[in-house]
C-alpha cells in the first residue's frame, strides 16, 4: 500500500520562529489533508490540499502532486501551535476512500 | 452547520464488557469513516460505511469489532468483550461524497479498558 513519511519527527522551536514540515508519499493520491492534534487530543482540520497552495493566517501549505510531497509552513510560531501535525492521503486507487496517515511531526514551541 | 458529533467523549469499560461508540456525521454527509489511534501512534483506518452498507472494513479486527450506519440515527462502532489493548482514541469522520473529498473529523471517543 501507499507509504506516507513525515519529517522531521520532532521539532523544538522558540516562540516567533518559522517552521516547515514535510510529507512525502509513495504513489498518486486523490486527497491530501493536514491536521493538528492539540495536547488535549483533538484533531483539527488544517488544510484539504490535493494540489496547489493554500494559506490560512500564519499557516500555509503546498502540495506538488507530480513530485509526491506536501509542505506545511508555520510562521511566527505561538505556544498554542504545539502538538502533533499529521499528513493524511487518500490513495489514487479507485475505491480506496480511506485516509492513510503519516506518523506525525511533534512540534514544541517554547515561550 | 454542526460538525461531526461523537459520544461519549470518554468511556471506561472493564475487561469483558461491551463498548458502543456513536458518531453523527455532518448534515448532508452520508459517508462515515472510523479510525483508531493507539497510544503514541498515528491514526489507522478501520471501516468505511454508507447508509445501511459497509463499503470497506479492511482495517477492522476480525473478531469482537462491528460497525453499522442505519438508515436513521448515528453510526455505531461496537466492541464486544473489550481487552486492555482496545484502549485507544476512536475518531469518526464524514464526507459528502466518496473519492477525493475532504473528510471532516469528530472530537473522538477515548476508550479506557481497566
Amino acid at each position: 500500500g501507499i507509504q506516507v513519511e513525515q519529517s522531521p519527527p520532532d521539532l523544538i522551536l522558540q516562540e516567533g520562529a518559522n517552521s516547515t514540515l514535510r510529507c512525502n508519499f509513495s504513489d498518486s493520491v486523490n486527497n491530501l489533508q493536514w491536521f493538528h492534534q492539540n495536547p488535549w487530543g483533538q484533531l483539527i482540520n488544517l488544510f484539504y490540499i490535493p494540489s496547489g497552495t493554500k494559506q490560512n493566517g500564519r499557516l500555509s501549505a503546498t502540495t506538488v502532486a507530480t513530485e509526491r510531497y506536501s509542505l506545511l509552513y508555520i510562521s511566527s510560531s505561538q505556544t498554542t501551535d504545539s502538538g502533533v501535525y499529521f499528513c493524511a492521503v487518500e490513495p489514487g486507487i479507485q475505491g480506496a476512500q480511506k485516509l492513510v496517515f503519516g506518523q506525525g511531526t511533534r512540534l514544541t514551541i517554547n515561550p | 452547520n454542526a460538525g461531526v458529533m461523537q459520544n461519549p467523549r470518554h468511556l471506561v469499560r472493564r475487561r469483558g464488557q461491551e463498548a458502543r461508540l456513536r458518531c453523527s456525521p455532518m448534515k448532508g454527509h452520508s459517508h462515515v469513516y472510523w479510525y483508531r489511534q493507539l497510544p503514541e501512534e498515528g491514526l489507522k483506518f478501520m471501516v468505511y460505511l454508507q447508509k445501511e452498507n459497509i463499503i470497506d472494513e479492511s482495517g477492522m479486527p476480525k473478531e469482537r469489532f462491528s460497525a453499522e450506519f442505519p438508515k436513521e440515527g448515528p453510526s455505531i462502532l461496537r466492541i464486544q468483550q473489550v481487552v486492555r489493548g482496545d484502549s485507544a482514541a476512536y475518531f469518526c469522520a464524514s464526507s459528502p461524497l466518496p473519492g477525493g473529498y475532504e473528510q471532516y473529523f469528530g472530537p473522538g471517543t477515548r476508550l479506557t479498558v481497566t
Side-chain angles (χ1 to χ4, degrees):
Chain A
I2 195 167
Q3 303 296 313
V4 182
E5 294 184 2
Q6 291 186 243
S7 59
D10 293 279
L11 189 57
I12 301 173
L13 298 171
Q14 291 298 121
E15 204 168 17
N18 301 330
S19 57
T20 301
L21 283 58
R22 187 177 181 101
C23 172
N24 291 335
F25 42 96
S26 60
D27 211 334
S28 63
V29 299
N30 288 334
N31 175 11
L32 188 146
Q33 294 182 235
W34 282 97
F35 299 89
H36 174 212
Q37 187 165 41
N38 64 25
W40 297 271
Q42 288 182 305
L43 201 62
I44 300 160
N45 286 37
L46 295 178
F47 292 103
Y48 164 69
I49 188 166
S51 64
T53 297
K54 289 186 177 179
Q55 179 153 9
N56 184 4
R58 296 182 295 103
L59 274 60
S60 64
T62 295
T63 296
V64 184
T66 52
E67 297 187 20
R68 297 180 183 165
Y69 73 89
S70 183
L71 301 173
L72 177 68
Y73 306 96
I74 305 173
S75 64
S76 305
S77 299
Q78 300 175 358
T79 55
T80 51
D81 295 330
S82 295
V84 183
Y85 289 79
F86 289 105
C87 164
V89 304
E90 178 187 320
I93 304 168
Q94 183 145 3
Q97 280 86 7
K98 59 190 172 189
L99 287 177
V100 178
F101 282 76
Q103 285 301 102
T105 291
R106 183 174 298 276
L107 177 64
T108 303
I109 304 297
N110 291 320
Chain B
N1 189 4
V4 177
M5 312 279 282
Q6 290 188 249
N7 67 80
R9 295 289 304 277
H10 300 273
L11 183 61
V12 179
R13 285 286 178 265
R14 290 200 175 99
R15 278 178 297 171
Q17 291 184 319
E18 178 179 286
R20 282 192 178 220
L21 288 61
R22 293 174 183 78
C23 168
S24 296
M26 286 182 73
K27 189 175 180 180
H29 289 192
S30 58
H31 302 265
V32 166
Y33 315 80
W34 286 92
Y35 296 84
R36 178 168 69 172
Q37 185 176 30
L38 293 168
E40 303 301 320
E41 292 191 15
L43 284 82
K44 297 273 196 308
F45 167 80
M46 298 181 75
V47 62
Y48 160 44
L49 309 102
Q50 294 177 24
K51 286 282 188 182
E52 301 184 278
N53 286 302
I54 297 175
I55 307 301
D56 180 0
E57 54 182 348
S58 59
M60 287 275 270
K62 297 299 180 195
E63 297 177 352
R64 301 186 297 107
F65 285 71
S66 63
E68 63 178 9
F69 188 17
K71 187 176 179 181
E72 302 290 338
S75 175
I76 307 283
L77 179 68
R78 181 203 281 185
I79 311 171
Q80 295 178 297
Q81 300 175 343
V82 296
V83 301
R84 290 228 172 101
D86 297 332
S87 295
Y90 293 82
F91 290 91
C92 165
S94 73
S95 68
L97 289 167
Y101 286 80
E102 183 172 4
Q103 293 187 20
Y104 296 82
F105 278 71
T109 294
R110 273 144 193 86
L111 172 65
T112 302
V113 180
T114 62

